[in-house]
Amino acid sequence: MSYLVLARKYRPKRFAEMVGQEHVVRALGNALSTQRLHHAYLFTGTRGVGKTTVSRILAKSLNCTGADGTGGITDEPCGVCPACSDIDNGRFVDYTELDAASNRGVDEVQALLEQAVYKPVQGRFKVFMIDEVHMLSSTAFNAMLKTLEEPPDYLKFVLATTDPQKVPVTVLSRCLQFNLRPMAPETVLEHLTAVLQQEQVEAEPAALKLLARAARGSMRDALSLTDQAIAFGAGRLEEATVRQMLGSVDHTHVFTLIEALALGDGKTVVQTAENLRLNGLSAASTLEEMTVVLQRMAVIQAVPELAPAQVQDEPQTIRLASMLPADETQLLYSLCLQGRAELGLAPDEYAALTMVLLRLLAFKPTGSSPLAEKKTPEPARTGIDRAVPSSASADQPQTVKPLANTPQPAQTAKISEPPPSLRSLPVLESPQSRSSPPRQAAAAPTPEQVLAVPVRVAAQSQVDQASSNASVSPLVLTEEGDFWHKTVAQLVASDLISALVRELALQSQLVARDGEHWLLRIERESLNASNNRERLQNALRTADHPATLSVEVGWVTDSPAKRIAQAAAQRQSAAEKLIYEDPLVQNMMRDFDAKIVPGSIKPLDPNPQNQG
């Protein structure tokens, strides 16, 4: 007896045996039970999801006579009556299947329609099934329109296609359309397990998972791959042999690559890619496996409570999720998806794989670590004013960055006091302290504190410009603002916040504190993301401020960014005033028609320890 492949042997013969298409089975079952039958059905979907199977079961349901020969239209065909048996065996004269891929002309369609004038010979209904109907020529479509619109009562049309967009709308409007969905890997895995139990074939669960994912939503592909794997493994399905057959990459390689990317270890990345080449493992499969792991990592980072259900068998994924920042996880996921499409364009797919992986390292700033956020490198400038240009307004995003030559403390380090560069910021007078002796807003720097610059050509003083910029958004100092400014300075100095979280802290105003509940106000809704708020809240707890944050959107009058910009503008104004009032400079401008280059006057860091 010849061997019957699994895809044909286990083709469903009843609606109850179909898996993954419950929405179609339910609709057709209810229509058959109530006998509200349409004259034309269109089944769409990718290959191997059950279009032909549904057509045959529908034909049996329409023509079934029951085991005793007295049955009628039913949603549960008996499978033993002559009509059911003949349809299963492909010899029922009233059920005709036409392959439109090889019979796409008007002559073939006309020959089929000529049979429509004759009543059924054996069954209750004639059923014309046209597979891959989108392949018909336009003339063939036009020839069948009239019959498709008003067929005889005994005739039913069943059309199937993998590309419904190529079917004319005049045909679509005459059909009842059902979209058969690609099957989830879990559905395919469950069906494969049941099939192999009936076949009495030993199979490792990990091997079946590989086959279910390789099928890409097609049950027929899954069963065909299973047939191949059984032959390849000599009657056994083991993970190693199935992975070798599919050319799939072991997750050990994937974990190694992601960890090396998180640590910025380019050498390990290149060596692992070369090992994949030597072992003949697929570069495309590598990127696909990486996207699977990265997707799980992103879920862990965004929704930690779902982590046990997502990666209960892969604790390594949880560890990697804590090493790679969430933004880099998203970036790497996008690079892997885009790189998958680029492999075919490169002369060597393994070289293309290496370039895709190294692309993240090209975007990763030097010195970033798996436990620290990314920092944007800047030219060395002194003091905290290096992060805020002198002409910056309070409406522009401002970022405080640590000094390039200052060692950074660990992210989990406790905070004692702000560094000298932050302590030395001028403290502006608040409304609550006006009754006390006024605090110095900005002392004029001495000549030694002003950079010596050559006198060149040109333009107007920047004093008025800085003053006008400072007055764009007036700063109203508050007691809560004093506390929030010092707290944010501590978080920045201890490297507990960075990127968007740092922007949220700098641009926000502390409106009120009610015990452990703090209310912040921001002007830009884009900063009010839940993950930014949670990371800022965690940073505050690390800094011994166990607060629960609420954020509202409104007008901000006292934020750390406004204070930094105001202080920087005052120091800039004082430095320019000192230069312009210097007798030597005035003599040179009078005697030699000298002019000061705009932007060339920069105040030194008020903290001498940061000068080098």
Side-chain angles (χ1 to χ4, degrees):
M1 181 177 179
S2 61
Y3 174 72
L4 191 63
V5 298
L6 296 179
R8 294 181 59 188
K9 182 177 181 180
Y10 291 94
R11 182 191 291 270
K13 292 180 172 54
R14 297 183 298 119
F15 285 124
E17 297 176 2
M18 292 196 65
V19 294
Q21 308 298 346
E22 289 78 9
H23 62 295
V24 176
V25 170
R26 180 178 178 181
L28 292 178
N30 292 337
L32 290 166
S33 299
T34 59
Q35 296 193 12
R36 298 178 63 90
L37 302 174
H38 202 272
H39 62 270
Y41 297 88
L42 175 64
F43 298 117
T44 65
T46 187
R47 75 276 179 268
V49 293
K51 299 185 294 297
T52 303
T53 299
V54 171
S55 172
R56 293 179 181 178
I57 297 176
L58 179 60
K60 289 194 293 184
S61 299
L62 292 173
N63 291 288
C64 179
T65 59
D68 55 359
T70 61
I73 298 174
T74 177
D75 60 338
E76 295 182 359
C78 66
V80 296
C81 68
C84 292
S85 299
D86 289 346
I87 291 175
D88 285 336
N89 295 323
R91 56 173 181 262
F92 191 65
V93 296
D94 293 323
Y95 176 72
T96 304
E97 288 189 4
L98 177 68
D99 178 20
S102 55
N103 301 277
R104 58 189 307 269
V106 64
D107 294 337
E108 289 83 356
V109 171
Q110 286 179 343
L112 178 68
L113 296 178
E114 286 176 359
Q115 304 176 26
V117 298
Y118 301 106
K119 289 186 177 182
V121 177
Q122 290 180 284
R124 194 176 295 115
F125 290 94
K126 273 182 175 291
V127 180
F128 289 167
M129 193 277 183
I130 305 178
D131 199 7
E132 300 297 340
V133 68
H134 67 275
M135 299 292 289
L136 289 178
S137 64
S138 58
T139 308
F141 274 122
N142 293 332
M144 65 182 293
L145 284 180
K146 189 59 179 177
T147 307
L148 183 64
E149 182 178 8
E150 296 179 355
D153 294 340
Y154 52 80
L155 178 61
K156 303 294 181 184
F157 280 94
V158 178
L159 311 181
T161 177
T162 56
D163 195 354
Q165 296 180 352
K166 294 182 179 180
V167 179
V169 293
T170 52
V171 174
L172 294 177
S173 65
R174 289 165 167 80
C175 299
L176 203 62
Q177 183 172 345
F178 294 91
N179 181 30
L180 280 71
R181 304 164 185 163
M183 300 182 193
E186 294 78 12
T187 303
V188 178
L189 174 62
E190 183 179 356
H191 187 66
L192 289 181
T193 303
V195 167
L196 293 179
Q197 285 178 351
Q198 296 184 46
E199 290 290 310
Q200 298 181 352
V201 175
E202 297 182 9
E204 295 181 358
L208 295 183
K209 287 183 179 180
L210 291 174
L211 293 172
R213 285 178 46 202
R216 300 185 181 277
S218 170
M219 187 65 74
R220 182 172 62 223
D221 287 3
L223 292 171
S224 299
L225 288 173
T226 303
D227 259 325
Q228 182 180 353
I230 292 173
F232 189 82
R236 287 176 52 87
L237 292 182
E238 299 177 349
E239 181 184 7
T241 57
V242 171
R243 192 179 294 278
Q244 183 181 0
M245 182 193 77
L246 297 175
S248 301
V249 178
D250 190 276
H251 273 192
T252 303
H253 297 290
V254 174
F255 292 146
T256 301
L257 286 172
I258 296 178
E259 182 174 359
L261 292 171
L263 298 174
D265 187 359
K267 181 179 179 181
T268 301
V269 171
V270 175
Q271 289 178 345
T272 305
E274 184 63 23
N275 290 336
L276 295 174
R277 179 203 300 270
L278 296 177
N279 294 327
L281 300 177
S282 170
S285 175
T286 302
L287 295 178
E288 291 171 4
E289 295 290 339
M290 288 184 67
T291 57
V292 172
V293 176
L294 289 168
Q295 183 268 336
R296 294 178 180 176
M297 290 170 54
V299 171
I300 295 171
Q301 293 167 343
V303 195
E305 59 270 18
L306 295 183
Q310 290 285 332
V311 288
Q312 55 184 354
D313 58 338
E314 293 182 1
Q316 183 82 329
T317 307
I318 300 178
R319 185 178 69 86
L320 291 176
S322 64
M323 294 179 61
L324 195 66
D327 54 351
E328 291 188 11
T329 301
Q330 297 292 337
L331 175 60
L332 183 55
Y333 181 83
S334 298
L335 292 177
C336 289
L337 285 181
Q338 297 174 5
R340 174 68 178 84
E342 296 175 2
L343 293 180
L345 303 177
D348 182 356
E349 68 171 4
Y350 294 99
L353 171 64
T354 304
M355 289 299 296
V356 170
L357 299 177
L358 292 179
R359 196 169 297 165
L360 179 67
L361 298 183
F363 291 122
K364 182 191 286 288
T366 303
S368 65
S369 67
L371 299 178
E373 297 285 348
K374 295 190 292 184
K375 314 288 188 303
T376 303
E378 284 191 352
R381 293 168 59 187
T382 56
I384 195 172
D385 63 322
R386 56 186 289 190
V388 183
S390 60
S391 59
S393 67
D395 294 333
Q396 295 174 334
Q398 301 160 359
T399 308
V400 178
K401 294 181 172 60
L403 293 176
N405 57 353
T406 304
Q408 299 303 312
Q411 184 175 7
T412 56
K414 296 294 181 181
I415 299 173
S416 57
E417 58 180 358
S421 61
L422 291 174
R423 293 201 306 270
S424 60
L425 281 177
V427 181
L428 304 181
E429 182 181 69
S430 63
Q432 291 77 6
S433 62
R434 287 176 181 169
S435 58
S436 59
R439 292 179 286 182
Q440 184 68 25
T446 62
E448 292 76 15
Q449 289 181 301
V450 181
L451 292 175
V453 294
V455 178
R456 301 291 183 191
V457 188
Q460 60 181 6
S461 168
Q462 294 181 350
V463 177
D464 297 335
Q465 182 181 354
S467 301
S468 62
N469 286 335
S471 63
V472 170
S473 181
L475 175 65
V476 180
L477 299 180
T478 62
E479 287 184 350
E480 295 292 350
D482 291 340
F483 172 80
W484 183 239
H485 178 64
K486 294 177 182 177
T487 302
V488 173
Q490 291 176 342
L491 297 179
V492 172
S494 296
D495 202 21
L496 290 175
I497 57 175
S498 61
L500 291 178
V501 182
R502 180 174 54 200
E503 277 299 303
L504 172 61
L506 288 171
Q507 300 289 347
S508 60
Q509 176 180 352
L510 180 59
V511 179
R513 286 180 290 166
D514 183 10
E516 294 185 354
H517 183 265
W518 295 6
L519 176 61
L520 300 180
R521 180 182 298 156
I522 58 173
E523 293 181 352
R524 292 189 292 166
E525 176 66 28
S526 59
L527 292 175
N528 188 20
S530 59
N531 57 336
N532 295 341
R533 189 166 58 250
E534 292 174 0
R535 290 162 66 183
L536 178 58
Q537 187 171 280
N538 293 335
L540 288 170
R541 291 175 179 172
T542 305
D544 295 331
H545 294 294
T548 302
L549 298 180
S550 297
V551 180
E552 64 179 13
V553 179
W555 182 253
V556 174
T557 58
D558 185 9
S559 67
K562 289 183 181 291
R563 292 185 176 226
I564 293 171
Q566 186 77 0
Q570 290 176 353
R571 290 200 303 275
Q572 180 70 26
S573 177
E576 292 185 358
K577 181 179 180 181
L578 183 64
I579 290 293
Y580 277 94
E581 292 180 353
D582 184 88
L584 178 60
V585 174
Q586 292 181 352
N587 290 336
M588 295 180 66
M589 295 176 68
R590 181 185 64 251
D591 298 337
F592 301 102
D593 195 23
K595 288 182 171 47
I596 297 177
V597 177
S600 60
I601 301 176
K602 296 293 181 183
L604 292 175
D605 189 345
N607 178 27
Q609 295 179 359
N610 290 334
Q611 299 178 13

